[in-house]
Amino acid sequence: MAEEPNLHLTDPRAMRALAHPTRLRLLGELRIRGPQSVGMLSDTVDEAVGSVSYHLGKLAQHGFVEEAPEHARDRRERWWRATHARTSWEPVEMLDDPERRAASDLLRRAFLDRYVQRLRGYLDAEPTLDPQWVRGTASSDSWLHLTSDELIELRADLEALAARWRDRSDPNRPGAETVSLMYHAFRDPR
């Protein structure tokens, strides 16, 4: 199966299945680095092979990953690939259903934890990076005073900006490295 661009989640069971730190890492590794064997993933995420196999099976149950047997050297070696480049869901679609709202909240909090881990990992590694890469690093926040329609417009602008750079992204281009882009825009609840 060819990788599709986006998996839009509505099923709370799929959201809960993905909201596990190891599963988020495994899916991320498959999306960033492409198909990998269970052993390769085990080394990357520092988990036992049996644990990795279990988590991949859970991800496969909900359509996040699938086996990639064409990469295996023999029948014992199991390879996996991501089925989608991105996962999305609309929190507003979850508001009227307590089960879906709780699953969405759980998944969003799991993603937030993962974002924090990734940023901490970057900060730990920053002193070892070429200064050219550090020069391009950005972290900021802004306080804006917007209407709900303007917030929706801002979201569309951010998504379009990310899509433009995603389209330009090419892991095979000389000098290209993996860059994480994270952003949040929300009404301050105060």
Side-chain angles (χ1 to χ4, degrees), residues 36-44 47 49 52 77-78:
Q36 295 180 60
S37 70
V38 171
M40 294 164 68
L41 288 165
S42 173
D43 290 343
T44 300
E47 292 273 342
V49 170
V52 169
E77 189 177 58
R78 293 183 72 188

Side-chain angles (χ1 to χ4, degrees), residues 2 17 22 45 58 64 81 102 106 113 121 130 134 137 152 170 175 182:
T22 300
V45 301
K58 288 294 183 187
F64 295 107
R81 76 173 130 251
L106 181 69
D113 291 344
D130 183 316
V134 177
T137 299
I152 292 168
D170 178 0
M182 301 174 222

